[in-house]
Amino acid sequence: MRRRLLALILALTLLLPGGTASAEDDYIKWVDFDVPYCALVTALDHDIQTYGTDVHLNWIALLAVLAAQLGGNFSHYKKKSLDNLAQRLLSGEELDDIASELKQYDYYFTAYSAVLGEFVGQYQVQVPDPHDPDKLIWENRYGLKAYHPIAEGFGFNHFDDFGTGRSYGYRRRHLGHDLFGSVGTPIVAVESGTVAVMGWNQYGGWRIGIRSFDGLRYYYYAHLRQNRPYHCDLAEGQVVRAGDVIGYMGRTGYSRKENINGIKQTHLHWGMQLIFHPDQEEGPKEIWVDLYNITRLLYRNRSTTYRVAETKEFYRTYDFDEPNLFGKVG
């Protein structure tokens, strides 16, 4: 635990793996998050399976060790490497001792913690009462508490499109992940946080920005439905819970005129921006993450919804809570 805390402090002095910084420039400048899906799943399973035991394996620490060993090049990743690392720790080796031999461990632990830090943990969720299916009861759980951005039961298609070219307005790279589906598909909050912005943007159309409570992640949901893009209960400054319905899929954007369907294919563009320093909030210093494999991982946890006929609004079926949820605000 002490090593993990030190890592969060020490790694902020790195600009990139192997870099150093001056006192006034001591924050991470770039993160290439290219951890493969199979590694995410294996690390997560080790974490969940060892929770509550004498040796609880932290999935982010496992991935950070692996990244440091591979020099960030996961093209050489093999599942047995992660399993062997887990077995070493379960057999009594200390993470501090293993990490101390890896020059870039502190960087990767801090960078990956910024991406995945609130994805896993303790939470409560409502489930059907096994003795009375018409009733719901609360159940304490540990595991994946971040949600897939598309509600359960709604189809979509996607591929790894991070970094592909875009030409509307000016030539640029695609810095998010597109999920193609049908107009009106309910979009849910991936992580609990505070609604930072709602409104029109000529590139993203009707969009929502949600900031994580720790301030490290900014979630961007764009191209929402024409005319009724947002859930009726959503407002700027509001706290939303992971899995809450926040809006509806559409194809708005690519227009200076508000409320125009300028996108050819209906889809959700969702993005994750990492913010280690205020200078990275807007402009050329922004850090955006490739979400393809994270989206695949989040498919394990989709929010079930129901529709109210009178209002045509969707709501989550099962309520959700996590420790000190509203105490995290501010």
Side-chain angles (χ1 to χ4, degrees), residues 89-107:
L89 294 169
L90 292 173
S91 298
E93 287 194 56
E94 295 290 336
L95 176 64
D96 286 8
D97 295 333
I98 296 174
S100 65
E101 300 176 357
L102 300 169
K103 184 177 180 182
Q104 306 304 332
Y105 172 81
D106 290 340
Y107 165 80

Side-chain angles (χ1 to χ4, degrees), residues 200 224-226 250-255 259-264:
W200 179 264
L224 301 180
R225 182 175 60 185
Q226 191 179 47
R251 54 187 184 92
T252 58
Y254 281 24
S255 171
N259 201 35
I260 296 297
N261 282 331
I263 301 294
K264 293 182 179 180

Side-chain angles (χ1 to χ4, degrees), residues 193-208:
T194 305
V195 178
V197 65
M198 296 168 58
W200 179 264
N201 177 289
Q202 70 166 311
Y203 299 99
W206 294 122
R207 90 289 193 214
I208 302 169

Side-chain angles (χ1 to χ4, degrees), residues 125-126 147-148 150-154 186 188 243-245 301-307 314-319:
V125 66
Q126 286 183 325
Y147 283 80
H148 194 278
I150 303 295
E152 185 178 28
F154 292 86
V188 306
D244 282 351
V245 177
N301 195 27
R302 300 184 73 185
S303 183
T304 305
T305 60
Y306 66 92
R307 182 175 181 267
F314 283 84
Y315 294 83
R316 70 184 308 152
T317 303
Y318 303 114
D319 208 351

Side-chain angles (χ1 to χ4, degrees), residues 57-75:
L57 302 178
N58 179 290
W59 74 312
I60 298 175
L62 294 176
L63 293 171
V65 168
L66 189 65
Q69 290 173 336
L70 296 173
N73 182 4
F74 281 91
S75 63

